[in-house]
Amino acid sequence: MKKRFVFAIIFVAAIILIAGYAIGNYFINYALKRGNETDPLAPPSACVSILDRNVIVPSMPEAPAEKWTITAPENRKLFATFYVPATEKHLWVILVHGYGRNQRYVGDFAKAYLQRNWNVLTPDLCASGESEGQYITMGIKESVEIVLWAKKIIERDPKAQIVLHGISMGAASVLMAAANNNVPGLKSVIEDCSYTSAYEMFARQLEVLFGLPEFPVMSCIDLVSGIKIGARISDASPLKVMSRINVPVMFIHGDKDTLVPLYMMEQLYDSCRGPKTKLVVKGAGHGDSLKEAGDEYWKAVFSFISSA
């Protein structure tokens, strides 16, 4: 009788573990795995439900350009485009795209920097655009890649002063990169609509899209992500590392952002211990602050940079 009881417990535990892994695996593939039956480079399936389908890909700058490549720690090839300004100075910006996007989506940002004679680097992050990789990691591996790109810039220009400017997941990535305190030449950071943590953002979307509770689904996703992609979703948390950033940070957010609510920006801002400022754009949804604010966006950004 006792043996049967033990076997029953083991059997139930095995079923729970198998079910938990299956749930985690499904949502990781849905939210983080790129590629489908017709396009191996397609963004994750979740992008169709989460991101604005009406976003128009901006044209890229009409400036001399160079293709750059580096190798990530996992031996993945990463690609970026370096845009050369009319007058080269030691001012550099790394423009970092968001979730499910690629470097083409920062074309309008690149033009503004180039008009002011900044050197502009637009990388494709992990599993995005031309860069290799199967899974997006919401800022974990991406932040490491940003450090590598900064080192590549310093190799070309040892006097480079580097600004990191990221949008959405790109914003989370630049915050996490800056917190490592090993970005050479780092002058300041501009984060535009970062989340506090990918875990919290995904938990919100689970309820919105599927009507599912955070527990136990997110626990399954978090556990399986560590096993499957080598990065736990709970570690993609800029909020955890804000106190380690020692360069000036500008926080930008739209007050109509329903994907990453404004309160997340306020939490990040409050947790930042270094020099900081913020710009809240009225009427702007997720990633739409530039579109809504127009020239005021750039006035605020370059005023911040010049005083940082």
Side-chain angles (χ1 to χ4, degrees), residues 52-131:
D52 184 355
R53 305 178 194 181
N54 298 317
V55 170
I56 298 173
V57 181
S59 61
M60 296 308 288
E62 294 182 1
E66 301 174 7
K67 281 290 185 182
W68 282 17
T69 183
I70 57 176
T71 302
E74 298 166 321
N75 210 33
R76 289 179 291 106
K77 280 193 174 182
L78 307 173
F79 294 87
T81 304
F82 164 48
Y83 292 97
V84 186
T87 302
E88 287 197 66
K89 302 178 181 179
H90 298 298
L91 300 176
W92 290 76
V93 62
I94 302 178
L95 292 172
V96 189
H97 65 80
Y99 167 76
R101 306 299 195 193
N102 56 52
Q103 61 172 295
R104 295 182 302 151
Y105 285 85
V106 297
D108 42 0
F109 292 84
K111 291 172 187 175
Y113 279 98
L114 283 164
Q115 287 171 359
R116 294 164 175 82
N117 288 315
W118 280 66
N119 299 278
V120 177
L121 190 70
T122 60
D124 280 327
L125 295 177
C126 176
S128 302
E130 294 183 86
S131 290

Side-chain angles (χ1 to χ4, degrees), residues 12 20-21 27 54 68 119 126 141-142 147-148 156 170 186 194 209 214 223-225 234 270 275 296 304:
V12 171
Y21 187 89
F27 282 107
N54 298 317
W68 282 17
N119 299 278
C126 176
K141 295 180 182 179
E142 292 84 353
V147 176
L148 296 177
R156 181 185 179 105
L186 182 60
S194 170
L209 298 177
E214 176 180 336
L223 179 62
V224 177
S225 64
S234 58
D270 291 343
E296 294 303 314
F304 164 74

Side-chain angles (χ1 to χ4, degrees), residues 50-51 98-99 138 167-172 175 191-205 208 236 238 251-268 280-281 284-289:
I50 294 175
L51 301 181
Y99 167 76
M138 303 307 295
I167 301 91
S168 190
M169 184 189 75
L175 289 173
E191 76 83 13
D192 186 335
C193 63
S194 170
Y195 39 79
T196 51
S197 74
Y199 188 103
E200 182 178 353
M201 184 184 69
F202 282 174
R204 285 173 51 84
Q205 290 306 307
V208 171
F251 299 83
I252 303 174
H253 219 95
D255 69 352
K256 299 300 182 184
D257 192 333
T258 56
L259 180 62
V260 179
L262 180 60
Y263 76 79
M264 288 192 174
M265 185 274 279
E266 297 292 357
Q267 290 179 343
L268 291 170
V280 177
V281 180
H286 187 67
D288 286 340
S289 290

Side-chain angles (χ1 to χ4, degrees), residues 223-280:
L223 179 62
V224 177
S225 64
I227 298 170
K228 192 175 180 71
I229 67 177
R232 295 186 69 149
I233 295 302
S234 58
D235 290 332
S237 176
L239 187 61
K240 291 180 180 179
V241 299
M242 288 305 303
S243 62
R244 303 210 307 256
I245 299 176
N246 55 24
V247 297
V249 181
M250 181 176 190
F251 299 83
I252 303 174
H253 219 95
D255 69 352
K256 299 300 182 184
D257 192 333
T258 56
L259 180 62
V260 179
L262 180 60
Y263 76 79
M264 288 192 174
M265 185 274 279
E266 297 292 357
Q267 290 179 343
L268 291 170
Y269 180 87
D270 291 343
S271 298
C272 183
R273 297 291 175 260
K276 57 188 176 182
T277 189
K278 60 183 174 180
L279 172 66
V280 177

Side-chain angles (χ1 to χ4, degrees), residues 155-171:
E155 289 176 6
R156 181 185 179 105
D157 179 7
K159 295 182 180 180
Q161 299 177 58
I162 301 173
V163 169
L164 303 180
H165 189 152
I167 301 91
S168 190
M169 184 189 75

